[in-house]
Amino acid sequence: MIDRNDVILKVDNLKTHFRTDEGIVKAVDGVSFSLRKGETLGFVGESGCGKSVTNLSLMKLIPSPPGRIVDGKVLFHDRDILKMKENEIRGIRGNKISMIFQDPMTSLNPFLKISTQLVETIILHQKKNEKESRKRAIEMLELVGIPAPAKRIDSYPHQFSGGMRQRVMIAMALSCNPEILIADEPTTALDVTIQAQILELIKDLSEKLGTATILITHDLGVVAGMCDTLNVMYAGRIIEKSDVSTLFSDPKHPYTIGLIKSVPRLDKKTGQKLYSIKGQPPNMIGMPECCPFHPRCEHTMDICRKKYPPVYDNGSGKTVNCWLFPAEPGNYSDEHKSADEHHMTGGAV
């Protein structure tokens, strides 16, 4: 039985910056979250909001230079990964924490057989001999739905379709029974039918193996059917956290509301124009300490242009960083009162 109260990963104030000729890009700027055993946690947001960099930082996979993790803690069973030596981290990558990378077409080495790439991972982390490792690799290929795995294991990546290659990546990621699986846009470049199969496969295997999953996507339809909890990211920060059902039924941040309104719906009239959030994501170089969404927000106030909003916590695990919801409910300024009245009367929700 999975104990969902067992926190296996706790991230605190993670900051990852990149040095460029134009200045410092604060790709991840103070991200905090936790992951429980057996939980599926989603990260959503527009391209460039920091989703992938956040999760690459968890395993210290940021290229340096130009990137650098400048602050924060990543506690895996109370041990800080960011303070580990390289040989210690190698024992965790692919073994305790595995990652399905974004593009199955380029994640596999085209010059090596599938068997070589799968077996090597198992030998390295599970300390099995080559015969045992090959047997395990064939079992994993069968588990992810590769037909005739004993024959196909000696094929090269170009002999597989995109969906099959993604299944191989999933088999490789799960071959060492990791405690955490990070899936970074696992359905990129796949057609809709194969997308559904891959997502169902990840969900079934996670439940069967008791693996906690972090799912990175920009598709709200994906997280609705896959995730337990959701982090919405914007400009390198988490701006809203919630369980999935509450987030869809009662979104708070104007950005989250905009994302949900942007999803095409079958119940809309034919020919009706699709909603889109106005403007563009901010330039991440030299950003002022204010709400980064304010130039695109329909409810911008003066304070939004001056200070970054504090965290509002409703006490049941839902948090939001927005001046429409001050950190101390009941202690509103006149500006907050008028904004909140506008919000509650249908202006935003």
Side-chain angles (χ1 to χ4, degrees):
M1 191 69 164
I2 295 171
D3 182 5
R4 291 184 179 269
N5 293 316
D6 182 10
V7 175
I8 57 176
L9 184 73
K10 185 178 176 68
V11 179
D12 183 32
N13 197 36
L14 180 65
K15 296 183 179 181
T16 303
H17 297 173
F18 290 84
R19 184 179 295 277
T20 70
D21 293 338
E22 289 76 26
I24 301 296
V25 176
K26 296 180 179 180
V28 179
D29 195 21
V31 166
S32 300
F33 65 92
S34 60
L35 179 68
R36 292 171 172 80
K37 186 174 182 179
E39 179 183 19
T40 299
L41 172 65
F43 279 81
V44 297
E46 294 168 299
S47 296
C49 69
K51 307 184 298 294
S52 295
V53 175
T54 295
N55 287 280
L56 286 169
S57 299
L58 302 184
M59 295 191 287
K60 293 181 73 174
L61 289 175
I62 299 300
S64 179
R68 190 165 69 92
I69 300 171
V70 299
D71 197 8
K73 296 178 181 179
V74 178
L75 300 176
F76 178 60
H77 290 299
D78 296 325
R79 293 183 63 208
D80 192 351
I81 291 176
L82 301 185
K83 292 182 178 178
M84 290 182 183
K85 295 179 180 178
E86 191 61 29
N87 63 329
E88 292 180 281
I89 295 174
R90 285 199 195 101
I92 290 177
R93 292 187 194 130
N95 189 25
K96 301 296 184 182
I97 304 176
S98 284
M99 190 165 188
I100 303 171
F101 292 95
Q102 199 167 114
D103 188 358
M105 306 300 178
T106 59
S107 297
L108 293 168
N109 189 324
F111 299 104
L112 298 177
K113 293 179 179 180
I114 297 298
S115 57
T116 303
Q117 301 183 60
L118 264 173
V119 170
E120 181 182 51
T121 302
I122 299 168
I123 290 175
L124 178 65
H125 292 299
Q126 297 293 296
K127 310 303 180 187
K128 296 179 182 290
N129 61 40
E130 189 165 347
K131 184 178 179 180
E132 292 172 329
S133 298
R134 184 180 173 87
K135 182 181 177 182
R136 171 67 175 166
I138 292 171
E139 290 173 353
M140 289 306 302
L141 289 179
E142 185 175 16
L143 191 64
V144 299
I146 300 291
K151 293 181 179 179
R152 300 300 301 275
I153 193 171
D154 289 315
S155 301
Y156 286 91
H158 73 271
Q159 295 175 294
F160 285 80
S161 67
M164 287 294 191
R165 272 182 264 190
Q166 192 64 293
R167 288 171 186 267
V168 171
M169 289 301 302
I170 295 170
M172 188 180 295
L174 294 173
S175 61
C176 298
N177 293 329
E179 294 184 54
I180 299 172
L181 175 67
I182 301 173
D184 188 359
E185 300 278 7
T187 56
T188 298
L190 302 178
D191 63 59
V192 176
T193 305
I194 302 300
Q195 284 184 23
Q197 293 175 4
I198 294 298
L199 291 171
E200 193 63 32
L201 177 62
I202 292 173
K203 185 176 182 180
D204 289 346
L205 291 177
S206 295
E207 291 176 356
K208 186 182 294 184
L209 301 174
T211 306
T213 305
I214 296 176
L215 180 64
I216 305 166
T217 183
H218 59 269
D219 190 336
L220 286 171
V222 168
V223 298
M226 286 282 294
C227 297
D228 303 308
T229 313
L230 195 58
N231 291 333
V232 181
M233 287 195 72
Y234 189 80
R237 303 190 190 192
I238 295 173
I239 49 93
E240 186 163 1
K241 296 181 187 179
S242 177
D243 66 89
V244 170
S245 60
T246 302
L247 186 121
F248 280 95
S249 64
D250 187 26
K252 296 297 186 185
H253 200 286
Y255 177 63
T256 308
I257 295 165
L259 288 178
I260 293 173
K261 288 170 67 177
S262 299
V263 177
R265 297 175 62 97
L266 292 174
D267 57 358
K268 284 189 176 181
K269 294 180 181 178
T270 304
Q272 188 174 349
K273 188 176 180 181
L274 291 173
Y275 177 84
S276 64
I277 302 172
K278 68 179 183 179
Q280 298 292 327
N283 184 343
M284 300 288 282
I285 298 174
M287 287 183 60
E289 281 298 317
C290 62
C291 176
F293 188 64
H294 82 266
R296 309 173 70 187
C297 184
E298 299 174 359
H299 313 286
T300 300
M301 303 175 286
D302 285 341
I303 196 169
C304 302
R305 301 182 181 93
K306 298 173 183 175
K307 296 180 180 179
Y308 191 83
V311 178
Y312 172 85
D313 190 337
N314 72 352
S316 61
K318 182 178 181 69
T319 66
V320 59
N321 290 66
C322 181
W323 283 112
L324 293 173
F325 303 91
E328 297 178 7
N331 187 23
Y332 293 10
S333 66
D334 291 337
E335 184 177 40
H336 292 147
K337 286 179 181 177
S338 62
D340 198 47
E341 287 168 3
H342 175 66
H343 186 73
M344 294 304 179
T345 53
V349 177

PDB file of all heavy atoms in Angstrom, residues 160-182:
ATOM      1  N   PHE A 160      12.736   1.830 -35.311  1.00  0.00           N
ATOM      2  CA  PHE A 160      11.524   1.976 -34.508  1.00  0.00           C
ATOM      3  C   PHE A 160      10.786   3.250 -34.919  1.00  0.00           C
ATOM      4  O   PHE A 160      11.406   4.237 -35.332  1.00  0.00           O
ATOM      5  CB  PHE A 160      11.867   2.076 -33.022  1.00  0.00           C
ATOM      6  CG  PHE A 160      12.268   0.770 -32.383  1.00  0.00           C
ATOM      7  CD1 PHE A 160      13.540   0.252 -32.532  1.00  0.00           C
ATOM      8  CD2 PHE A 160      11.353   0.070 -31.611  1.00  0.00           C
ATOM      9  CE1 PHE A 160      13.910  -0.943 -31.938  1.00  0.00           C
ATOM     10  CE2 PHE A 160      11.706  -1.127 -30.996  1.00  0.00           C
ATOM     11  CZ  PHE A 160      12.982  -1.636 -31.164  1.00  0.00           C
ATOM     12  N   SER A 161       9.476   3.248 -34.764  1.00  0.00           N
ATOM     13  CA  SER A 161       8.686   4.467 -34.966  1.00  0.00           C
ATOM     14  C   SER A 161       8.887   5.406 -33.780  1.00  0.00           C
ATOM     15  O   SER A 161       9.479   5.023 -32.760  1.00  0.00           O
ATOM     16  CB  SER A 161       7.202   4.107 -35.089  1.00  0.00           C
ATOM     17  OG  SER A 161       6.729   3.594 -33.843  1.00  0.00           O
ATOM     18  N   GLY A 162       8.374   6.634 -33.893  1.00  0.00           N
ATOM     19  CA  GLY A 162       8.512   7.589 -32.794  1.00  0.00           C
ATOM     20  C   GLY A 162       7.865   7.097 -31.512  1.00  0.00           C
ATOM     21  O   GLY A 162       8.431   7.228 -30.427  1.00  0.00           O
ATOM     22  N   GLY A 163       6.673   6.486 -31.639  1.00  0.00           N
ATOM     23  CA  GLY A 163       5.997   5.964 -30.460  1.00  0.00           C
ATOM     24  C   GLY A 163       6.755   4.820 -29.819  1.00  0.00           C
ATOM     25  O   GLY A 163       6.844   4.708 -28.588  1.00  0.00           O
ATOM     26  N   MET A 164       7.341   3.949 -30.658  1.00  0.00           N
ATOM     27  CA  MET A 164       8.136   2.829 -30.141  1.00  0.00           C
ATOM     28  C   MET A 164       9.394   3.328 -29.447  1.00  0.00           C
ATOM     29  O   MET A 164       9.810   2.802 -28.413  1.00  0.00           O
ATOM     30  CB  MET A 164       8.506   1.881 -31.289  1.00  0.00           C
ATOM     31  CG  MET A 164       7.348   1.060 -31.801  1.00  0.00           C
ATOM     32  SD  MET A 164       6.746  -0.105 -30.568  1.00  0.00           S
ATOM     33  CE  MET A 164       5.651  -1.106 -31.566  1.00  0.00           C
ATOM     34  N   ARG A 165      10.022   4.363 -30.013  1.00  0.00           N
ATOM     35  CA  ARG A 165      11.224   4.921 -29.385  1.00  0.00           C
ATOM     36  C   ARG A 165      10.892   5.520 -28.019  1.00  0.00           C
ATOM     37  O   ARG A 165      11.664   5.404 -27.069  1.00  0.00           O
ATOM     38  CB  ARG A 165      11.855   5.971 -30.295  1.00  0.00           C
ATOM     39  CG  ARG A 165      12.830   5.393 -31.289  1.00  0.00           C
ATOM     40  CD  ARG A 165      13.470   6.452 -32.121  1.00  0.00           C
ATOM     41  NE  ARG A 165      12.769   6.590 -33.393  1.00  0.00           N
ATOM     42  CZ  ARG A 165      13.214   7.311 -34.416  1.00  0.00           C
ATOM     43  NH1 ARG A 165      14.345   7.977 -34.318  1.00  0.00           N
ATOM     44  NH2 ARG A 165      12.536   7.380 -35.541  1.00  0.00           N
ATOM     45  N   GLN A 166       9.716   6.154 -27.946  1.00  0.00           N
ATOM     46  CA  GLN A 166       9.313   6.714 -26.659  1.00  0.00           C
ATOM     47  C   GLN A 166       9.076   5.602 -25.650  1.00  0.00           C
ATOM     48  O   GLN A 166       9.399   5.736 -24.467  1.00  0.00           O
ATOM     49  CB  GLN A 166       8.058   7.577 -26.833  1.00  0.00           C
ATOM     50  CG  GLN A 166       7.716   8.435 -25.644  1.00  0.00           C
ATOM     51  CD  GLN A 166       8.771   9.485 -25.334  1.00  0.00           C
ATOM     52  OE1 GLN A 166       9.887   9.152 -24.933  1.00  0.00           O
ATOM     53  NE2 GLN A 166       8.433  10.736 -25.508  1.00  0.00           N
ATOM     54  N   ARG A 167       8.526   4.482 -26.092  1.00  0.00           N
ATOM     55  CA  ARG A 167       8.333   3.334 -25.202  1.00  0.00           C
ATOM     56  C   ARG A 167       9.675   2.778 -24.719  1.00  0.00           C
ATOM     57  O   ARG A 167       9.818   2.363 -23.564  1.00  0.00           O
ATOM     58  CB  ARG A 167       7.538   2.233 -25.916  1.00  0.00           C
ATOM     59  CG  ARG A 167       6.071   2.576 -26.121  1.00  0.00           C
ATOM     60  CD  ARG A 167       5.373   1.561 -27.014  1.00  0.00           C
ATOM     61  NE  ARG A 167       4.015   1.971 -27.308  1.00  0.00           N
ATOM     62  CZ  ARG A 167       2.943   1.599 -26.613  1.00  0.00           C
ATOM     63  NH1 ARG A 167       3.091   0.774 -25.585  1.00  0.00           N
ATOM     64  NH2 ARG A 167       1.734   2.009 -26.937  1.00  0.00           N
ATOM     65  N   VAL A 168      10.670   2.772 -25.621  1.00  0.00           N
ATOM     66  CA  VAL A 168      12.013   2.333 -25.231  1.00  0.00           C
ATOM     67  C   VAL A 168      12.581   3.265 -24.162  1.00  0.00           C
ATOM     68  O   VAL A 168      13.199   2.811 -23.186  1.00  0.00           O
ATOM     69  CB  VAL A 168      12.959   2.285 -26.453  1.00  0.00           C
ATOM     70  CG1 VAL A 168      14.400   2.039 -26.007  1.00  0.00           C
ATOM     71  CG2 VAL A 168      12.518   1.194 -27.425  1.00  0.00           C
ATOM     72  N   MET A 169      12.363   4.577 -24.334  1.00  0.00           N
ATOM     73  CA  MET A 169      12.836   5.545 -23.335  1.00  0.00           C
ATOM     74  C   MET A 169      12.173   5.308 -21.978  1.00  0.00           C
ATOM     75  O   MET A 169      12.817   5.417 -20.932  1.00  0.00           O
ATOM     76  CB  MET A 169      12.555   6.971 -23.813  1.00  0.00           C
ATOM     77  CG  MET A 169      13.418   7.445 -24.966  1.00  0.00           C
ATOM     78  SD  MET A 169      15.180   7.420 -24.576  1.00  0.00           S
ATOM     79  CE  MET A 169      15.236   8.500 -23.153  1.00  0.00           C
ATOM     80  N   ILE A 170      10.883   4.973 -22.000  1.00  0.00           N
ATOM     81  CA  ILE A 170      10.173   4.682 -20.752  1.00  0.00           C
ATOM     82  C   ILE A 170      10.730   3.411 -20.114  1.00  0.00           C
ATOM     83  O   ILE A 170      10.949   3.346 -18.900  1.00  0.00           O
ATOM     84  CB  ILE A 170       8.654   4.550 -21.007  1.00  0.00           C
ATOM     85  CG1 ILE A 170       8.077   5.886 -21.472  1.00  0.00           C
ATOM     86  CG2 ILE A 170       7.932   4.076 -19.748  1.00  0.00           C
ATOM     87  CD1 ILE A 170       6.651   5.802 -21.982  1.00  0.00           C
ATOM     88  N   ALA A 171      10.981   2.385 -20.958  1.00  0.00           N
ATOM     89  CA  ALA A 171      11.566   1.135 -20.447  1.00  0.00           C
ATOM     90  C   ALA A 171      12.925   1.395 -19.813  1.00  0.00           C
ATOM     91  O   ALA A 171      13.245   0.862 -18.744  1.00  0.00           O
ATOM     92  CB  ALA A 171      11.697   0.122 -21.592  1.00  0.00           C
ATOM     93  N   MET A 172      13.741   2.225 -20.463  1.00  0.00           N
ATOM     94  CA  MET A 172      15.066   2.550 -19.937  1.00  0.00           C
ATOM     95  C   MET A 172      14.951   3.305 -18.611  1.00  0.00           C
ATOM     96  O   MET A 172      15.687   3.025 -17.658  1.00  0.00           O
ATOM     97  CB  MET A 172      15.826   3.402 -20.966  1.00  0.00           C
ATOM     98  CG  MET A 172      17.283   3.635 -20.620  1.00  0.00           C
ATOM     99  SD  MET A 172      18.119   4.643 -21.867  1.00  0.00           S
ATOM    100  CE  MET A 172      18.038   3.556 -23.287  1.00  0.00           C
ATOM    101  N   ALA A 173      13.999   4.247 -18.547  1.00  0.00           N
ATOM    102  CA  ALA A 173      13.836   5.049 -17.333  1.00  0.00           C
ATOM    103  C   ALA A 173      13.352   4.216 -16.153  1.00  0.00           C
ATOM    104  O   ALA A 173      13.711   4.481 -15.000  1.00  0.00           O
ATOM    105  CB  ALA A 173      12.862   6.202 -17.598  1.00  0.00           C
ATOM    106  N   LEU A 174      12.547   3.190 -16.434  1.00  0.00           N
ATOM    107  CA  LEU A 174      11.960   2.389 -15.360  1.00  0.00           C
ATOM    108  C   LEU A 174      12.703   1.082 -15.090  1.00  0.00           C
ATOM    109  O   LEU A 174      12.335   0.337 -14.188  1.00  0.00           O
ATOM    110  CB  LEU A 174      10.493   2.081 -15.693  1.00  0.00           C
ATOM    111  CG  LEU A 174       9.541   3.276 -15.723  1.00  0.00           C
ATOM    112  CD1 LEU A 174       8.171   2.851 -16.225  1.00  0.00           C
ATOM    113  CD2 LEU A 174       9.418   3.923 -14.351  1.00  0.00           C
ATOM    114  N   SER A 175      13.750   0.820 -15.864  1.00  0.00           N
ATOM    115  CA  SER A 175      14.434  -0.479 -15.754  1.00  0.00           C
ATOM    116  C   SER A 175      15.081  -0.715 -14.397  1.00  0.00           C
ATOM    117  O   SER A 175      15.312  -1.859 -14.004  1.00  0.00           O
ATOM    118  CB  SER A 175      15.485  -0.602 -16.863  1.00  0.00           C
ATOM    119  OG  SER A 175      16.468   0.420 -16.750  1.00  0.00           O
ATOM    120  N   CYS A 176      15.396   0.353 -13.678  1.00  0.00           N
ATOM    121  CA  CYS A 176      16.045   0.200 -12.366  1.00  0.00           C
ATOM    122  C   CYS A 176      15.079   0.455 -11.207  1.00  0.00           C
ATOM    123  O   CYS A 176      15.504   0.679 -10.067  1.00  0.00           O
ATOM    124  CB  CYS A 176      17.245   1.142 -12.264  1.00  0.00           C
ATOM    125  SG  CYS A 176      18.533   0.801 -13.465  1.00  0.00           S
ATOM    126  N   ASN A 177      13.761   0.425 -11.516  1.00  0.00           N
ATOM    127  CA  ASN A 177      12.730   0.654 -10.498  1.00  0.00           C
ATOM    128  C   ASN A 177      12.972   1.944  -9.705  1.00  0.00           C
ATOM    129  O   ASN A 177      13.127   1.921  -8.468  1.00  0.00           O
ATOM    130  CB  ASN A 177      12.638  -0.525  -9.527  1.00  0.00           C
ATOM    131  CG  ASN A 177      12.128  -1.784 -10.199  1.00  0.00           C
ATOM    132  OD1 ASN A 177      11.346  -1.725 -11.138  1.00  0.00           O
ATOM    133  ND2 ASN A 177      12.589  -2.930  -9.720  1.00  0.00           N
ATOM    134  N   PRO A 178      13.025   3.100 -10.373  1.00  0.00           N
ATOM    135  CA  PRO A 178      13.307   4.347  -9.674  1.00  0.00           C
ATOM    136  C   PRO A 178      12.165   4.734  -8.742  1.00  0.00           C
ATOM    137  O   PRO A 178      11.014   4.328  -8.951  1.00  0.00           O
ATOM    138  CB  PRO A 178      13.431   5.364 -10.820  1.00  0.00           C
ATOM    139  CG  PRO A 178      12.555   4.806 -11.894  1.00  0.00           C
ATOM    140  CD  PRO A 178      12.723   3.321 -11.803  1.00  0.00           C
ATOM    141  N   GLU A 179      12.492   5.522  -7.743  1.00  0.00           N
ATOM    142  CA  GLU A 179      11.459   6.034  -6.848  1.00  0.00           C
ATOM    143  C   GLU A 179      10.743   7.232  -7.459  1.00  0.00           C
ATOM    144  O   GLU A 179       9.586   7.500  -7.140  1.00  0.00           O
ATOM    145  CB  GLU A 179      12.076   6.428  -5.507  1.00  0.00           C
ATOM    146  CG  GLU A 179      12.636   5.258  -4.720  1.00  0.00           C
ATOM    147  CD  GLU A 179      13.148   5.683  -3.360  1.00  0.00           C
ATOM    148  OE1 GLU A 179      12.376   6.317  -2.603  1.00  0.00           O
ATOM    149  OE2 GLU A 179      14.323   5.405  -3.052  1.00  0.00           O
ATOM    150  N   ILE A 180      11.456   7.956  -8.333  1.00  0.00           N
ATOM    151  CA  ILE A 180      10.877   9.142  -8.979  1.00  0.00           C
ATOM    152  C   ILE A 180      11.116   9.066 -10.479  1.00  0.00           C
ATOM    153  O   ILE A 180      12.237   8.812 -10.924  1.00  0.00           O
ATOM    154  CB  ILE A 180      11.492  10.441  -8.427  1.00  0.00           C
ATOM    155  CG1 ILE A 180      11.222  10.585  -6.928  1.00  0.00           C
ATOM    156  CG2 ILE A 180      10.944  11.670  -9.167  1.00  0.00           C
ATOM    157  CD1 ILE A 180      11.954  11.743  -6.276  1.00  0.00           C
ATOM    158  N   LEU A 181      10.069   9.303 -11.264  1.00  0.00           N
ATOM    159  CA  LEU A 181      10.168   9.371 -12.719  1.00  0.00           C
ATOM    160  C   LEU A 181       9.812  10.786 -13.155  1.00  0.00           C
ATOM    161  O   LEU A 181       8.727  11.284 -12.844  1.00  0.00           O
ATOM    162  CB  LEU A 181       9.218   8.370 -13.375  1.00  0.00           C
ATOM    163  CG  LEU A 181       9.131   8.431 -14.901  1.00  0.00           C
ATOM    164  CD1 LEU A 181      10.442   8.009 -15.539  1.00  0.00           C
ATOM    165  CD2 LEU A 181       7.974   7.553 -15.407  1.00  0.00           C
ATOM    166  N   ILE A 182      10.723  11.444 -13.863  1.00  0.00           N
ATOM    167  CA  ILE A 182      10.468  12.773 -14.405  1.00  0.00           C
ATOM    168  C   ILE A 182      10.196  12.625 -15.901  1.00  0.00           C
ATOM    169  O   ILE A 182      11.048  12.145 -16.649  1.00  0.00           O
ATOM    170  CB  ILE A 182      11.664  13.716 -14.179  1.00  0.00           C
ATOM    171  CG1 ILE A 182      11.975  13.840 -12.685  1.00  0.00           C
ATOM    172  CG2 ILE A 182      11.383  15.097 -14.772  1.00  0.00           C
ATOM    173  CD1 ILE A 182      13.255  14.611 -12.379  1.00  0.00           C
TER     174      ILE A 182
END
